[in-house]
Amino acid sequence: MKRITALAASLMLLCTSAFADEGMWMLPLLRQMNAQALQDLGCMLTPEQIYSTNAPSIKDAIVQFGGGCTAEIISDEGLLITNHHCGYSSIQELSSPEHNYLEDGYWAMTRNQELPVPGLTVRFLQSMTDVTAQVQKLEKKKPEQQELGIKAIVDQAKADNPNCSVVISSFYNDNMYYLIVYKVYRDVRFVGAPPASSGKFGGDTDNWMWPRHTCDFSMFRVYAGPDNEPADYSPANKPLTPKASLKISLKGVHDGDFAMIMGYPGSTQRFMTATQLQDMLKTNDVRIDARTVRQDIMWEARMADPVVNLQYANKYASSSNGWKKWQGEREAFANLGVIDRELQKEADFMEWVNAKRSRVKKYGDAIKTIDQCVLEAQEAKLAYTLLTESIYRIELVTNSISQNPDFKNYNLELDRKEATALTDFYKKNVKPGDEIAIDLSEEWLDWLFANSAFTSEDKLEQAVINGVDLRNDPARLLYGAIRDVALQKLEIMEANDELLAEATKAYTAGQMEWMAGQPLYPDANSTCRLSYGTVKSYSPRDGVLYKHYTTLKGVMEKEDPDNYEFRVPAKLKEIYQNKDYGQYANEEGELVTCFLTNNDITGGNSGSPVLNAYGELIGLAFDGNWEAMSGDVIFEPNLQRCINVDIRYVLLMLDKFGGAGYLLDEMKLVK
């Protein structure tokens, strides 16, 4: 990076003593901000070996997978690994009742059996360049000039980087900007995954919990055109030759070992005010209650019919992950006194601000303004959330506005049951004056489902053939009524957006100045970050100590053949009974399933590589722990842990369970 802003330079001088286990650190600043901490903790790599734009580095083996997870390249032939739950929707789309890869697992035994996944992409980071000065200069100009200036910067970067996409991302709430160049590959094929009974072992019950025993992985391969550049799917495409791929360690982990994670964390809220956090909790309460209604009905239908189970597997998983996280977050907020701690932090901040007139001028009104904007929008936000989490979730409504309604994964009877429950929930909770312009009686719902063309593919095709004006379809009428109220609420919610953004920027800048010498990384924003720490056990409460790893024995102890979440495949039980672990066993002859580190991660890090001191792959990050569910707001060093599947468990499932050991031939295993 040729130029470093004054802000970045001050951060480098002040943050070299940051806690090793906290922080989602920006890659271009590793040498200046983190080199000593990495070395002190035991890392054997230089910052340039982790991130470089001039030579192959670890960042060249890490990708953003499908826009929402992380994955890594583990061979020089484009083989990629991520979490099972990251590949979940792709695997479901490739499945059918006759070939249920989600439920039964799948392994391609030849390249010809690797299954193309339409629409799936992976994104390789090429470079990050500080453009703060240019953007801040443009911010002083008129909006149309700002837009043209930003476009000029991006267009020049695109011209300098053929076959790449370019974005400008904000950090520290608009106090710093980076121009980021990515190369996006569009031909990604499914190679294999374990059955759901292993890849999703423990289901919702174990989600966000330790001890954990889930073999949470899936494998894909990236293909490229003849020039090794991105290309649309073609049978003629060849496996990607990557700039870098990860070596895989079979040495295992021990308590205290160095561990680092690189990936694409989605979002955190570590610069929010107490009022913003309370607003977040209130909004999440509405989401939790609405999703409970829908998920209970969906789960019952899934367990009653294997076809429905496949159709709604991803819908259920997408809903339930946040649903459980928000419950844990509220519990952690209460147990750990998060709001009171934030209020104390604000009081301390204002004491610092008020000690100097120049600070009062810059930061004195920031918290008050933020809180005022939040409170003015709160009721509208709750009404909007109620709408979008209840009656807008009726699938008939979303089918009616989709260009390609998903009838493959639609069950009319289930949607009708959900519609009744969701409308009842909506009517019980909507405030007077906020109701949509339809009474939503049971009779009206009967009429809706009887007369809409969007209940089946055949019915929709027939309506089109007959020239029916679909704008007057009952489902679209319901959508229109929902949209009208939603837009009213959005207008209120967004009325103070500019004022809120300015105050947020000022409050963050104030914290950056106030907290000099402490960890001061920006909030996660789906850009590539590094966290580092150690393999580590923890004590959740008095008298209880959770060790840093679990074994296959725990899978057998949890087995419950009558519980869908805790089934164990017969072949895995046979491997356990025979202790047929081969090179994947630890020193005690156990098969380690999962392990803990104190790395700082959040959603989006799913599938991220867990690397040892030499940059070798030792596991895949896939979850956090229940006791520290407030971690997106405040890092809890004594409690916060990252849950990872051990790479040796992954390889055993691939090899001895799945029979796809031939894939090991293209991996670089370190013993």
Side-chain angles (χ1 to χ4, degrees):
M1 189 173 64
K2 294 182 179 178
R3 187 186 58 77
I4 300 170
T5 64
L7 176 60
S10 66
L11 290 176
M12 292 168 200
L13 291 172
L14 296 169
C15 293
T16 53
S17 63
F19 297 124
D21 51 3
E22 179 177 352
M24 302 175 191
W25 300 98
M26 295 175 63
L27 301 184
L29 303 181
L30 292 178
R31 181 173 61 83
Q32 297 92 341
M33 294 180 71
N34 310 102
Q36 190 61 52
L38 282 163
Q39 183 179 329
D40 291 346
L41 207 57
C43 182
M44 304 303 292
L45 303 177
T46 65
E48 288 73 20
Q49 289 174 301
I50 298 171
Y51 171 83
S52 175
T53 58
N54 300 315
S57 58
I58 287 177
K59 68 99 169 143
D60 296 310
I62 315 303
V63 300
Q64 188 174 47
F65 180 86
C69 279
T70 303
E72 46 276 0
I73 302 293
I74 56 171
S75 86
D76 290 334
E77 299 175 67
L79 188 64
L80 173 154
I81 188 168
T82 187
N83 285 158
H84 185 270
H85 73 263
C86 292
Y88 204 73
S89 61
S90 296
I91 300 169
Q92 185 205 24
E93 283 303 308
L94 294 171
S95 297
S96 66
E98 297 76 26
H99 300 286
N100 194 335
Y101 306 133
L102 198 63
E103 187 67 21
D104 303 331
Y106 176 80
W107 288 103
M109 294 304 170
T110 67
R111 294 280 168 86
N112 289 336
Q113 292 180 359
E114 294 178 354
L115 306 176
V117 186
L120 179 60
T121 62
V122 297
R123 190 163 77 162
F124 287 83
L125 172 64
Q126 306 297 296
S127 63
M128 297 178 67
T129 305
D130 185 359
V131 291
T132 305
Q134 296 98 305
V135 174
Q136 288 179 340
K137 187 176 180 180
L138 288 169
E139 286 176 340
K140 298 175 183 178
K141 298 184 177 183
K142 295 179 180 179
E144 59 271 18
Q145 293 175 311
Q146 292 181 30
E147 187 176 338
L148 288 172
I150 293 293
K151 184 177 185 300
I153 296 172
V154 170
D155 287 348
Q156 183 60 57
K158 287 181 178 178
D160 294 339
N161 296 274
N163 294 319
C164 290
S165 64
V166 178
V167 296
I168 293 179
S169 293
S170 158
F171 296 82
Y172 299 101
N173 290 322
D174 297 338
N175 283 285
M176 188 180 289
Y177 296 90
Y178 272 74
L179 183 142
I180 310 178
V181 179
Y182 298 101
K183 187 165 285 189
V184 183
Y185 283 82
R186 305 183 297 276
D187 185 354
V188 184
R189 306 182 194 180
F190 177 46
V191 174
S197 53
S198 293
K200 204 169 173 57
F201 181 77
D204 279 336
T205 302
D206 272 7
N207 194 19
W208 305 105
M209 297 292 182
W210 183 262
R212 198 70 175 274
H213 302 83
T214 312
C215 197
D216 198 344
F217 83 99
S218 56
M219 286 185 172
F220 296 78
R221 193 182 303 277
V222 184
Y223 281 75
D227 55 358
N228 207 45
E229 291 294 315
D232 291 333
Y233 168 78
S234 168
N237 286 347
K238 304 295 183 183
L240 172 73
T241 301
K243 290 182 182 178
S245 62
L246 299 179
K247 294 180 180 179
I248 298 174
S249 174
L250 297 180
K251 300 173 188 176
V253 299
H254 302 87
D255 206 8
D257 283 356
F258 174 85
M260 64 182 178
I261 290 175
M262 187 183 292
Y264 287 84
S267 64
T268 51
Q269 302 85 42
R270 294 182 182 173
F271 290 92
M272 278 191 173
T273 69
T275 298
Q276 286 177 301
L277 296 176
Q278 289 169 324
D279 179 68
M280 179 183 76
L281 292 177
K282 288 180 180 179
T283 303
N284 288 344
D285 281 346
V286 177
R287 292 175 173 143
I288 291 166
D289 292 345
R291 293 190 183 196
T292 300
V293 170
R294 182 170 178 246
Q295 287 171 200
D296 285 350
I297 295 169
M298 201 187 306
W299 182 260
E300 182 180 1
R302 287 184 63 201
M303 293 302 98
D305 186 334
V307 174
V308 176
N309 192 25
L310 175 60
Q311 290 176 317
Y312 283 77
N314 188 57
K315 295 174 187 176
Y316 186 90
S318 298
S319 176
S320 66
N321 190 55
W323 167 81
K324 188 166 183 180
K325 177 183 178 180
W326 296 324
Q327 293 176 70
E329 193 169 51
R330 174 166 281 287
E331 183 176 314
F333 265 58
N335 292 340
L336 300 173
V338 172
I339 297 297
D340 287 342
R341 288 160 65 186
E342 183 57 43
L343 287 169
Q344 184 60 55
K345 172 187 166 184
E346 291 174 21
D348 295 342
F349 172 75
M350 288 307 301
E351 182 179 353
W352 172 81
V353 169
N354 291 328
K356 198 169 184 179
R357 187 175 300 175
S358 60
R359 295 177 194 155
V360 173
K361 183 177 180 181
K362 289 190 291 184
Y363 315 127
D365 292 332
I367 294 175
K368 181 174 65 175
T369 302
I370 291 170
D371 292 351
Q372 178 183 342
C373 291
V374 169
L375 293 173
E376 287 178 359
Q378 190 171 81
E379 289 304 315
K381 185 178 180 182
L382 291 172
Y384 179 84
T385 303
L386 175 62
L387 265 178
T388 55
E389 288 285 347
S390 59
I391 53 177
Y392 184 66
R393 296 287 177 172
I394 298 171
E395 289 183 82
L396 189 56
V397 174
T398 51
N399 272 349
S400 74
I401 59 171
S402 172
Q403 292 184 340
N404 297 293
D406 183 13
F407 292 113
K408 175 188 174 185
N409 296 310
Y410 180 70
N411 182 278
L412 177 60
E413 181 181 353
L414 173 54
D415 192 28
R416 181 65 183 84
K417 288 181 180 178
E418 289 182 359
T420 296
L422 290 171
T423 53
D424 286 346
F425 177 83
Y426 173 75
K427 288 188 288 187
K428 288 176 183 176
N429 289 279
V430 67
K431 292 192 173 182
D434 286 342
E435 303 94 337
I436 66 169
I438 292 175
D439 69 358
L440 295 176
S441 65
E442 195 68 20
E443 293 76 17
W444 192 90
L445 288 175
D446 286 339
W447 177 80
L448 166 71
F449 279 85
N451 291 279
S452 176
F454 292 95
T455 55
S456 73
E457 189 170 10
D458 290 342
K459 199 169 181 180
L460 181 58
E461 287 179 358
Q462 194 60 47
V464 172
I465 291 170
N466 293 335
V468 174
D469 186 352
L470 294 174
R471 291 175 298 181
N472 295 321
D473 186 273
R476 289 219 176 141
L477 294 177
L478 177 53
Y479 167 72
I482 295 171
R483 180 198 58 207
D484 290 345
V485 175
L487 289 175
Q488 293 171 13
K489 301 306 174 185
L490 276 173
E491 186 176 355
I492 298 171
M493 292 161 60
E494 296 172 355
N496 291 322
D497 274 2
E498 187 174 335
L499 183 62
L500 178 60
E502 291 175 359
T504 300
K505 180 178 180 178
Y507 182 44
T508 303
Q511 290 180 78
M512 294 166 77
E513 184 178 338
W514 174 51
M515 296 174 66
Q518 300 181 47
L520 214 56
Y521 45 86
D523 268 326
N525 62 351
S526 294
T527 58
C528 199
R529 306 289 183 89
L530 183 81
S531 67
Y532 49 92
T534 57
V535 176
K536 199 166 187 177
S537 57
Y538 76 104
S539 176
R541 54 191 176 274
D542 184 52
V544 176
L545 177 65
Y546 283 149
K547 69 179 182 180
H548 66 280
Y549 72 97
T550 57
T551 70
L552 193 59
K553 179 182 178 183
V555 175
M556 304 306 154
E557 291 174 344
K558 286 182 176 179
E559 182 190 13
D560 181 354
D562 298 324
N563 187 331
Y564 180 78
E565 296 182 324
F566 292 98
R567 300 162 299 143
V568 178
K571 190 168 184 178
L572 188 59
K573 287 193 281 188
E574 181 183 337
I575 291 171
Y576 172 73
Q577 290 163 358
N578 296 330
K579 299 295 182 283
D580 183 20
Y581 306 148
Q583 64 181 336
Y584 311 119
N586 67 5
E587 297 94 330
E588 288 75 33
E590 304 165 311
L591 181 72
V592 175
T593 51
C594 299
F595 65 92
L596 294 170
T597 65
N598 61 2
N599 293 107
D600 193 359
I601 69 162
T602 189
N605 274 121
S606 291
S608 292
V610 189
L611 306 170
N612 64 16
Y614 298 92
E616 299 161 350
L617 185 65
I618 55 176
L620 310 179
F622 73 92
D623 215 348
N625 61 316
W626 187 257
E627 296 85 1
M629 294 295 285
S630 56
D632 283 354
V633 174
I634 296 179
F635 187 85
E636 303 286 353
N638 294 326
L639 287 177
Q640 197 154 331
R641 295 295 180 267
C642 173
I643 302 174
N644 316 284
V645 58
D646 194 292
I647 196 63
R648 295 169 296 177
Y649 189 23
V650 168
L651 296 181
L652 178 132
M653 291 296 293
L654 174 155
D655 182 10
K656 292 181 176 290
F657 182 90
Y662 76 94
L663 289 169
L664 298 173
D665 296 338
E666 61 182 280
M667 301 178 196
K668 292 169 279 190
L669 304 182
V670 180
K671 299 183 180 180

